[in-house]
Amino acid sequence: MLNITNRTAEAVHALRRLAKGMATAAPRIGDTKVAMSLLEKNAFINYQRIEDNLVIVRERLNRPLTLSEKILYGHLDDPANQDITRGTSYLKLRPDRVACQDATAQMALLQFMSAGMDTAAVPTTVHCDHLIEAQVGGVKDLARANAINKEVYDFLATATAKYGLGFWRPGSGIIHQIILENYAFPGGLMIGTDSHTPNAGGLGMIACGVGGADAVDVMAGIPWELKCPKVIGVNLTGKISGWTTPKDVILKVAGILTVKGGTGAIVEYTGPGVESLSCTGMATICNMGAEIGATTSLFPFNNRMVDYLNATKRNDIANYAKQFAHNLQADKGAEYDQVIEINLSELEPHINGPFTPDLATPISKLAEEAKKNNWPEEIKVGLIGSCTNSSYEDMSRSASLIKQAKEAGLEFKSKFTITPGSEQVRATIARDGQIETFEEAGGLVLANACGPCIGQWDRQDVKKGEPNTIVTSYNRNFTGRNDANPATHAFVTSPDIVTALAFAGSLSFNPLTDSIPTPSGKPFKFSPPTGFELPPSGYDPGEDTFQAPPQDRASVQVKVDPKSDRLQLLKPFAPWDGKDPKDMPVLIKAKGKCTTDHISAGGPWLKYRGHLENISQNCLIGAINAENGEANKVQNQLDGTFGGVPQVAAAYRSAGIKWVVIGDHNYGEGSSREHAALEPRFLGGAANIVRSFARIHETNLKKQGMLALTFVNPEDYDKVRGTDKVDIIGVESFAPGKNLTLVAKHTDGTTDEIPLAHSFNEGQIEWFKAGSALNLMAAKAKSA
């Protein structure tokens, strides 16, 4: 790390006292103006705010600060009066910027339009990456997407132009790679409407995934509210080398913390081992931190970040960060709520899955675990790329393995696909020969987009329901996530391991120790992969896919066809009626893992992300009903018949009856998609009552006027039946920290009274009473 001594608050005060006695004041960090991005010349990095806020916060807390605390508290709206208690306080923060991907941007922009604003208060960008389906190859798939999604892309292009936002057209790349290449900077605070926004932590930025309503708040100039995170420290020692990659760090951490172990916490990486990680490798680790439920993850500012900033032509930012480096690393003696130790020199490559990203298996144990668990041994497809692992370093290391295998006369035994993360990476690996290496070996290069990682994959090689195995360098592998086939066993690992396994075609192969027979009969064993951290000849920017907002925005007309089945202007939700909700049927008692993919499926449903009525037809269709063990089959308590979850919910709504969902642990983990909260609200839901929530989904429910409640005693989940009608008592006196009571009325005439907890604060209770956070915002704007 950079060798810069931490300056204490006392030293800052001393400097300022000294400056008062001089004829010329001492220079302030804010005296230097550095643009946040080469594409936003008039939006400047505000290190002075962090410096000033931390003087106040240090005086108040009187203790060493972690790096994440420095950045977060440095962005407080009111540092003098803000309550600051880890895990308890709700911080009001001023993010530097907002980023939205096209699937979530539709609803975010529709909400922003409803708020009556004429321009975004902070720099904001929209990125077209989610709506491109992988089918036959990058060029043709992009052309097809442009045709199919024309009205959505036209809406996004005109809405961003109208409200002063940057727009990255289809083919530009995945949002998180574009952010890393153009907008992330050390010490910044960003929110993004995608759960893998923490990717920017690889450049020392706190970047958090949020729902669209949170993005709208910040775009409207309202402070962003976040429960003060706890801080988990991961101390890295040793040095990464050989087959071990940065991806293996987060695969290991996921195995330790599980999918809910990081909830409510920021994961902060420290220690001498950090120096052996590339900047893009650090981004990989932060990206997949979303899979442990972490608020975000980040690394301290170091020379690898400087190298990456310089390589992406942001030398001014690199130099500015060096001047501010004392606030871009943790204070000596900073305390963490939990510390994990990982020796990189001893870390073995891992492969996680299937069906969950926290089932971690060292590569040396994979064959044994596959046999023991009866996982399909044959690997049908190997897929590298995605927002997690599509850097120049990733691609060059994979290409080095392919060259070894080809020289030995080997062919892929599995299908092999490559997803470049950005147009810049694609153009650079095209120039430097890696794409030629991939294609000559039989690999299929897909569009610069999310593709199979989010289920945008027109897969034809297996039938739905057919058990099979795929290995990917992606970040998420929930049931049916990649190809809508619930029998697909998806494993996540590094691009290196994916590449080697694709030549073996089997989960029983360990590339570190095993050999593959060649056509000549001679055994072939891979040497460890090699590659370049950064392109030796610099990056090739490729095609210009950025649309800056026009100078004259007044004449821009936002395109929304009232007859569209893809886009629909929003209508406000009804406010609370002032009464305790009673006699509400349980729509579904969801059993086990219920992610946002289960609540609001992706894949073919992505096309309806801008049309609330249409996309609500997928509401909870993936959740498993505890009453019968089936998906999308619940009983309609009005007539006793069984139907799909959305259809039964709509029947209740039509009859004027509110309903509730009962959920298990970590309900709503996974994606940040707020549609998983909007849909239940649209269909007449009143409350979600669960053992525990994932952070983003809990906030999204609150934003939409839903009651997000938890069982005080998690075992009380078992007392509620899927055929119950319930009352929620205490809503009429709803207050922070005050429990509510669930009265579960069973069909046999018995009842159970069950205590319910909640995390609503005063402001969030006002959202509920108004019917949604957007309703409250619009009402305040109207009365101003």
Side-chain angles (χ1 to χ4, degrees), residues 295-307:
T295 301
T296 194
S297 304
L298 83 160
F299 281 81
F301 180 57
N302 59 54
N303 287 314
R304 307 300 277 271
M305 295 182 189
V306 172
D307 292 342

Side-chain angles (χ1 to χ4, degrees), residues 34-104:
V34 175
M36 270 196 262
S37 166
L38 298 176
L39 300 170
E40 297 161 341
K41 298 292 187 181
N42 296 316
F44 302 104
I45 294 173
N46 193 352
Y47 281 157
Q48 190 61 57
R49 172 177 56 188
I50 298 175
E51 185 94 0
D52 293 343
N53 277 12
L54 290 183
V55 169
I56 297 168
V57 170
R58 286 185 187 281
E59 286 183 335
R60 292 182 56 200
L61 300 184
N62 193 32
R63 62 171 174 79
L65 300 177
T66 70
L67 170 59
S68 55
E69 288 182 309
K70 287 183 177 182
I71 299 175
L72 271 188
Y73 305 160
H75 285 82
L76 286 170
D77 184 53
D78 182 4
N81 298 300
Q82 171 72 61
D83 181 40
I84 304 173
T85 306
R86 287 187 198 171
T88 302
S89 308
Y90 278 91
L91 306 178
K92 290 189 179 296
L93 302 162
R94 291 288 183 179
D96 297 298
R97 65 180 312 110
V98 174
C100 306
Q101 40 95 335
D102 50 356
T104 51

Side-chain angles (χ1 to χ4, degrees), residues 630-709:
E630 297 185 56
N632 203 29
K633 185 178 180 180
V634 296
Q635 187 173 27
N636 184 333
Q637 295 189 34
L638 297 177
D639 58 17
T641 61
F642 283 84
V645 180
Q647 290 71 39
V648 174
Y652 292 148
R653 181 187 60 186
S654 297
I657 299 171
K658 297 175 183 176
W659 47 263
V660 303
V661 169
I662 305 299
D664 217 319
H665 289 292
N666 208 29
Y667 184 86
E669 68 173 282
S671 164
S672 69
R673 66 191 68 157
E674 66 179 334
H675 299 78
L678 280 161
E679 293 173 31
R681 183 73 166 99
F682 177 78
L683 289 171
N688 282 57
I689 305 166
V690 304
R691 295 195 208 240
S692 64
F693 281 109
R695 173 188 66 86
I696 299 175
H697 186 60
E698 181 181 21
T699 300
N700 286 346
L701 288 167
K702 293 178 182 178
K703 286 275 186 178
Q704 302 308 332
M706 294 278 287
L707 289 169
L709 309 173

Side-chain angles (χ1 to χ4, degrees), residues 549-614:
Q551 292 294 320
D552 176 19
R553 295 188 280 117
S555 60
V556 177
Q557 297 295 314
V558 179
K559 296 181 180 179
V560 180
D561 183 349
K563 298 178 182 178
S564 172
D565 68 350
R566 301 284 303 271
L567 298 164
Q568 181 185 51
L569 295 176
L570 297 175
K571 296 178 182 178
F573 292 131
W576 176 52
D577 62 8
K579 302 174 183 177
D580 285 346
K582 295 184 177 180
D583 290 320
M584 298 182 293
V586 173
L587 174 66
I588 184 172
K589 180 181 178 181
K591 179 183 179 181
K593 187 183 284 286
C594 193
T595 71
T596 49
D597 284 80
H598 294 85
I599 304 167
S600 176
W605 290 96
L606 286 171
K607 61 178 174 286
Y608 297 124
R609 285 284 181 87
H611 198 293
L612 183 54
E613 184 174 358
N614 284 345

Side-chain angles (χ1 to χ4, degrees), residues 396-413:
S396 61
R397 285 173 64 95
S398 174
S400 77
L401 292 171
I402 292 174
K403 287 181 178 179
Q404 289 184 43
K406 291 297 290 181
E407 288 172 2
L410 295 178
E411 302 286 341
F412 283 124
K413 290 185 179 177

Side-chain angles (χ1 to χ4, degrees), residues 211-223:
D214 275 353
V216 171
D217 280 355
V218 175
M219 291 165 65
I222 298 171

Side-chain angles (χ1 to χ4, degrees), residues 68 72 190-192 194-201 205-211 224 226-234 250 253-269 282-299 338 340 357-358 475-476 478 666 668-672 693-699:
S68 55
L72 271 188
M190 179 181 77
I191 61 171
D194 189 279
S195 56
H196 295 108
T197 299
N199 191 80
M205 186 180 213
I206 286 189
C208 302
V210 299
W224 174 50
L226 175 71
K227 181 177 271 192
C228 189
K230 295 183 178 181
V231 190
I232 298 173
V234 179
I250 186 57
V253 170
I256 295 169
L257 289 176
T258 78
V259 291
K260 60 183 179 180
T263 303
I266 290 178
V267 179
E268 194 171 306
Y269 291 86
M282 291 185 276
T284 291
I285 294 169
C286 294
N287 177 297
M288 198 176 160
E291 308 318 316
I292 57 173
T295 301
T296 194
S297 304
L298 83 160
F299 281 81
Q338 179 181 353
I340 295 170
D358 58 354
N475 43 41
R476 192 166 284 164
F478 300 139
N666 208 29
E669 68 173 282
S671 164
S672 69
F693 281 109
R695 173 188 66 86
I696 299 175
H697 186 60
E698 181 181 21
T699 300

